[in-house]
Amino acid sequence: MGKLAVLSLSVAALAVLIGERVITLRHLSLYYRELTQNYLPNCHHIEGIECGAEDITILENGLAFLSTCVKHPDLPSYSDDPGKIYTLNLLDSELKIKALNIKGDFDKDSFNPHGISLYTDDKDGAIYLFVVNHPQGNSQVEIFRFVEDENALQYIKTIKHELLHNVNDIVAVGTESFYATNDHYFTNGILKFVEPFLSLPWCDVVYYSPQTVQVVAGGFLIANGINISPDKRHLYVSDILKHKIVVLEIQKNTVLSHVKEVDVGSLCDNIEVDRESGDLWLGCHPNGLKCVFHDPNDPPGSEVIRIENILSEKPRVTRVYRNS
């Protein structure tokens, strides 16, 4: 009788724990949010990217680079084709995308691009594109040189490291150095589900250079987008389940110190920084539960959020664009 009582109490405690975790995760996913449309005038639908652009980054001359057709185990896929990198001249009235040809000894058939970052070398003006790649579900970083007159990417090298195990996004700070976010601690599929279910803050930011590879910041529920301030003194990281943008100061030894967190009230994915004003532009998921289930009859929608004066005592957070 005593064993039965212990078993009954254990089952009841487990049920309570699971129930509490489900409720917490639903709130973290902002399941209750309904999107209010907020259109902008003069918007144009860009044809030819039906499989989606996971990340976009922009050169100072207005040339945007788009990472497309990522295959993610937790999300639906809209194409069996390998991923591609496109360019889009934002100053061109026609607004047409162009696929970049990849040159060199690179496996294009398994290309699965995720986060991207551009770096311009001050010495010779060469432009490098860093791409998070997930061939066969793995994580690695590809470095290309942009050959503008050929509309091509020249493959340079692939970077793999045990600390770069679940890379989501990247920001380049040199021709072979970067900061990157890991959006999970575990690599096992079941344990990757357990992480957010138990709200384990084990995700981190990694600094990589040919001389040094180290974890430089941690404590994130899920670390997604990352970018750098125009003066190269601060990093911005999206902790997507906390609905916050975390501001980190770069120290001389590349380690990061926590400065502040800005609440944005949405599950923000990628971050683009205006080089002139320093404003942050965020691509966000207003409802994480809908995003995961992705019912075409009840789409999750997306929104763009702008943060002005993020380093001030009172940053201004504005929902600029919302679309179902």
Side-chain angles (χ1 to χ4, degrees):
M1 191 69 180
K3 291 183 178 180
L4 181 60
V6 170
L7 179 61
S8 299
L9 287 173
S10 299
V11 171
L14 180 61
V16 170
L17 173 63
I18 293 175
E20 185 274 334
R21 287 287 86 203
V22 168
I23 292 172
T24 298
L25 193 58
R26 280 165 61 87
H27 278 281
L28 290 175
S29 70
L30 301 179
Y31 77 99
Y32 51 84
R33 276 196 70 191
E34 293 295 335
L35 192 69
T36 302
Q37 306 276 20
N38 180 23
Y39 293 122
L40 291 174
N42 304 317
C43 283
H44 302 275
H45 174 224
I46 306 299
E47 301 286 346
I49 328 173
E50 280 66 30
C51 59
E54 202 287 329
D55 198 5
I56 303 172
T57 192
I58 308 168
L59 283 173
E60 291 184 17
N61 64 3
L63 188 66
F65 289 69
L66 295 79
S67 169
T68 70
C69 293
V70 67
K71 315 294 188 300
H72 194 285
D74 298 333
L75 296 172
S77 176
Y78 296 98
S79 174
D80 294 327
D81 296 334
K84 292 182 180 180
I85 303 294
Y86 291 92
T87 57
L88 173 68
N89 187 346
L90 298 175
L91 303 182
D92 188 343
S93 59
E94 294 186 2
L95 289 177
K96 290 185 178 180
I97 60 169
K98 296 181 180 178
L100 287 170
N101 179 39
I102 297 179
K103 302 169 60 178
D105 186 18
F106 180 76
D107 183 6
K108 290 183 279 189
D109 292 335
S110 66
F111 193 35
N112 190 14
H114 199 166
I116 57 176
S117 179
L118 290 162
Y119 180 79
T120 302
D121 191 350
D122 292 335
K123 295 179 181 178
D124 57 7
I127 298 170
Y128 296 87
L129 181 70
F130 290 62
V131 182
V132 177
N133 187 19
H134 301 295
Q136 291 82 46
N138 298 314
S139 277
Q140 59 196 50
V141 174
E142 317 290 355
I143 302 179
F144 303 93
R145 183 171 57 85
F146 177 47
V147 186
E148 187 171 9
D149 56 355
E150 299 180 23
N151 197 49
L153 294 173
Q154 177 64 52
Y155 170 68
I156 296 177
K157 67 186 301 184
T158 296
I159 295 173
K160 302 179 183 179
H161 194 276
E162 61 183 6
L163 292 181
L164 300 169
H165 48 81
N166 281 299
V167 183
N168 183 299
D169 200 11
I170 186 171
V171 58
V173 293
T175 57
E176 292 187 48
S177 57
F178 55 84
Y179 290 91
T181 56
N182 282 311
D183 59 18
H184 286 84
Y185 177 81
F186 296 108
T187 56
N188 176 273
I190 296 176
L191 293 178
K192 287 172 75 172
F193 168 77
V194 170
E195 272 185 71
F197 186 75
L198 296 179
S199 299
L200 300 177
W202 292 355
C203 296
D204 53 32
V205 175
V206 175
Y207 173 75
Y208 177 94
S209 74
Q211 296 78 31
T212 305
V213 187
Q214 60 181 331
V215 174
V216 290
F220 302 93
L221 282 182
I222 294 183
N224 270 45
I226 186 170
N227 217 317
I228 195 167
S229 62
D231 61 8
K232 314 299 182 188
R233 292 177 54 193
H234 295 90
L235 285 181
Y236 308 122
V237 180
S238 171
D239 196 339
I240 191 168
L241 283 184
K242 286 185 179 178
H243 322 136
K244 296 179 184 294
I245 300 300
V246 181
V247 181
L248 303 163
E249 186 175 8
I250 302 173
Q251 306 298 318
K252 290 183 179 179
N253 59 357
T254 70
V255 173
L256 308 175
S257 62
H258 184 278
V259 177
K260 65 188 301 186
E261 298 179 5
V262 178
D263 192 353
V264 292
S266 188
L267 288 84
C268 288
D269 194 340
N270 292 321
I271 305 168
E272 191 72 2
V273 179
D274 188 311
R275 291 177 180 85
E276 294 184 3
S277 66
D279 294 350
L280 277 65
W281 293 84
L282 316 171
C284 306
H285 306 290
N287 187 315
L289 200 63
K290 286 186 178 182
C291 183
V292 170
F293 288 104
H294 223 287
D295 180 358
N297 297 315
D298 186 20
S302 297
E303 61 183 343
V304 175
I305 293 176
R306 179 186 187 183
I307 304 179
E308 300 171 83
N309 303 314
I310 190 168
L311 297 176
S312 69
E313 292 185 5
K314 294 183 179 180
R316 183 184 181 193
V317 179
T318 308
R319 283 180 167 76
V320 177
Y321 179 70
R322 283 170 287 186
N323 193 318
S324 63

